[in-house]
Each structure stands twice: as C-alpha cells, then as structure tokens.
Amino acid sequence: MPSTALTRTLLRRTTATTLYLLRRAMSTDAASEVISPATTRIGWIGTGVMGRSMCSHLIHAGYTMTIYTRTQSKAQPLIDLGAHFAPSPAALAARSHVVFSIVGYPSDVRSVHLHPSTGTLSTLPPGASLVDMTTSDPSLAREIASSASQKGCAAVDAPVSGGDRGAKAGTLSIFAGGDEAVVRRLAPLFECLGRVNYMGGPGKGQFAKLANQITIGSTMVGLVEGMVYAHKAGLDVGVYLDAISSGAAGSKSLDLYGSRILGRDFEAGFYVNHFVKDLGICLRECEKMGIALPGLALAQQLYVSLQAHGEGGLGTQALILALERMNNICLEAAPLSSS
C-alpha cells in the first residue's frame, strides 16, 4: 500500500494534470469557435470620443456587450442601446470572449489589462482574446501578448486611424499586430469598425500606428502653414483649400479639418493631449532606433505649445492657433467654398 504522503502527491499531480487538460480543451474550443452575435460575448473598455461610436457598431450588429469605463455616466448612451455595465475590467473580462480597449495612455492600458486583481487578464477565460486599440508603446503590446499567451489567451494590438468621423462611419483604418490566425478569426468584429490591415507580430500594429502619427504630424504642420501663407497673400482661404483638395496637396487631414479650422471649430475628434502622447512615444522609439526625424520633433514641439496655452483639450486642428500666435494673425472665419 502506498504511503499517505505518496497518495496525496499522486492526487495533486492527477488534479493538476486534469485542470491543465481541461483548460487546454476550453482554450481550443473557444479559440476555434466562429465569431458571431449568437456565440460571442464582447467586452468594451473606454467610451470616449472614439470608443463610444466604435462600441455602438458592435451593439447594432447584434453582439452581447458589457462595458466598463471609470465614469459610468459616459457609458449611459451605450447602456440605453442594451449594453451591460461591469464594475471593473476583471468583472467585464470574466463574462467576455473578446475584450476591446481604447483608453487614453499606456499607463491606462497597463492598468486595465495587467493589474493583478482588477485587470482583464486576472479573469479572462482560456481561449478568449484581448484587442487593445489604444495608441500605446510597442513594448507594452508585446508584454500583454506574452502575459495573455501564458494564460491560454490571445492579444492583438490594433490601434486605429480615421478620427471621430471614421469611428462614427465605421471606416477606420485598423493596424493589427499579433498572431495572424487570431486576427483573421476576429475579422467579423473588425469589419464592423473599418478595414483591418495585418502588420505582423505583437507590437507591429503599434509601430504602424506610430508611423501613421509621424505622417499626420508633418501633414498638419504643412496644412496650417499653407493656410497662414494663403491668408497673408490675400487669398480667400476657403477657395484656396477647395482648389488644392483635388491636387497633389490634397489629404485626409485637409478633408477632415480644413472647414473646421475656417469655422473656428476646435472640438476634439482627437485630443491635442493624446496626440502629444503619441508623438512622444514616436520620439522615444526613434531614440531607441537611432534615427533623427526633425519633422516629427517640430510637430511635437508645436503641439506642446498648445498644451502650454491650456489648449490640450482641443482637437488636433487647433494647431492653427500656434501658427497664428507666431505670426500675430487670425484667419477669418469663413465656410469652405463649394465652387
């Protein structure tokens, strides 16, 4: 007869093996299940300018939705559409197959996913997936992917571009990093939000979004500098913008923000504060890579100057204010010409 101690050891090993096999089976079943409103429960963290519209598309598509945001009143429009509210990221994750997040800063991303007691990964079921759509640090995306993998889950970094209008219209450009098979499996959800572009392994979605922000930063500087020049040259700036919109100087930034600037509409579709955060991440990554991007540095400094004037809560089109102050002018408010 085996000793009592040996019996206990065998029981512990048997129990551990059984739990491992059960978790592995659950992970395989959940990961292979087809995404659909009938079978997939969604969790959504972050209901700001972008997140609210993006989440609403999934609700309208018929998905069962649980949401978490630090200020519950901001979630009320989604609750009115049928979403459930969770008191913490952990409570949300426990009842979800796929968890999306789009929050403000990398510190927020770390908190909602990696906090040992309230983060999503403390309760996310095996086989479930995390999709972080915040613009954040590539290294943090890789860390989350590694932590998720250790728990039998998957993580995708999928930041977006297209602003508030793209979020409302469901036409965002989505930069996805992670396991390609997971990204393909999540395609029905991404299609509700825009067009997904697979960029590579963990962190590559963030690298693509940062390159996008570098491009936008210099584009915005060029847009407002051209407007200031046209104004000083005595041109009708609305007519000027209409004229260049169909030529080589046309851009998405012009389409989104030209008329807003002329109308002195600086309401945030994307906050200056968040753009400064993004450009700061870009600069740190450039330092790691050993590359110099002077256009990026200039754009970041101009946007920081807006923060210095208390304008961080405005939209990125408020960059015109920095150029107006430098040149002691103010563009006349005028509608974009339709001729």
Side-chain angles (χ1 to χ4, degrees):
M1 292 291 290
S3 67
T4 301
L6 179 57
T7 300
R8 288 175 178 170
T9 299
L10 290 172
L11 284 172
R12 281 198 299 269
R13 289 178 178 175
T14 301
T15 301
T17 301
T18 301
L19 288 173
Y20 169 78
L21 293 173
L22 179 60
R23 286 174 63 89
R24 185 173 180 180
M26 290 171 65
S27 174
T28 301
D29 290 344
S32 60
E33 193 169 79
V34 175
I35 298 285
S36 75
T39 61
T40 308
R41 297 189 303 273
I42 307 298
W44 193 280
I45 300 172
T47 57
V49 173
M50 303 282 287
R52 187 183 307 118
S53 295
M54 296 163 70
C55 181
S56 70
H57 292 311
L58 293 170
I59 296 174
H60 288 307
Y63 288 94
T64 299
M65 180 68 67
T66 302
I67 56 179
Y68 168 77
T69 184
R70 286 177 295 188
T71 306
Q72 185 172 348
S73 60
K74 291 184 178 180
Q76 193 58 49
L78 298 171
I79 294 172
D80 292 342
L81 291 176
H84 308 283
F85 187 80
S88 69
L92 175 146
R95 64 183 75 168
S96 303
H97 297 113
V98 181
V99 173
F100 287 87
S101 60
I102 181 164
V103 293
Y105 297 89
S107 59
D108 299 317
V109 176
R110 178 175 293 279
S111 176
V112 300
H113 294 306
L114 297 177
H115 191 282
S117 59
T118 62
T120 60
L121 283 175
S122 67
T123 60
L124 195 68
S129 299
L130 293 179
V131 182
D132 181 40
M133 309 192 89
T134 314
T135 303
S136 184
D137 292 303
S139 60
L140 179 56
R142 292 193 293 267
E143 182 181 351
I144 291 172
S146 177
S147 296
S149 177
Q150 292 173 20
K151 293 179 177 291
C153 303
V156 173
D157 49 293
V160 299
S161 182
D164 59 327
R165 292 186 181 179
K168 290 174 183 176
T171 57
L172 294 168
S173 182
I174 304 166
F175 310 105
D179 187 293
E180 187 172 8
V182 174
V183 174
R184 286 199 303 267
R185 179 173 171 269
L186 297 173
L189 301 175
F190 288 133
E191 288 167 1
C192 294
L193 310 177
R195 182 171 66 91
V196 65
N197 307 273
Y198 180 68
M199 309 307 300
K204 295 300 185 184
Q206 294 295 350
F207 279 121
K209 176 60 187 293
L210 295 176
N212 178 84
Q213 300 302 74
I214 292 168
T215 304
I216 289 175
S218 293
T219 300
M220 287 298 295
V221 172
L223 172 62
V224 297
E225 284 190 343
M227 294 176 72
V228 167
Y229 181 87
H231 172 79
K232 286 293 288 185
L235 298 175
D236 180 314
V237 180
V239 173
Y240 156 74
L241 290 179
D242 187 58
I244 68 169
S245 64
S246 58
S251 68
K252 180 68 74 172
S253 294
L254 189 159
D255 296 340
L256 287 173
Y257 299 124
S259 61
R260 295 192 197 188
I261 293 171
L262 288 180
R264 312 305 284 182
D265 174 7
F266 300 127
E267 183 177 356
F270 190 73
Y271 290 106
V272 166
N273 282 335
H274 290 167
F275 198 44
V276 169
K277 174 262 297 183
D278 293 355
L279 298 182
I281 296 173
C282 292
L283 287 169
R284 291 194 294 275
E285 291 297 324
C286 285
E287 185 175 359
K288 292 177 185 177
M289 296 175 182
I291 58 174
L293 300 181
L296 162 63
L298 172 61
Q300 191 260 0
Q301 286 295 294
L302 289 172
Y303 275 104
V304 167
S305 78
L306 294 179
Q307 288 183 314
H309 283 83
E311 295 158 349
L314 300 180
T316 51
Q317 69 272 25
L319 183 62
I320 189 68
L321 299 176
L323 270 293
E324 288 178 340
R325 278 190 287 265
M326 290 174 66
N327 293 284
N328 194 28
I329 64 168
C330 180
L331 272 63
E332 296 178 4
L336 186 64
S337 173
S338 58
S339 60

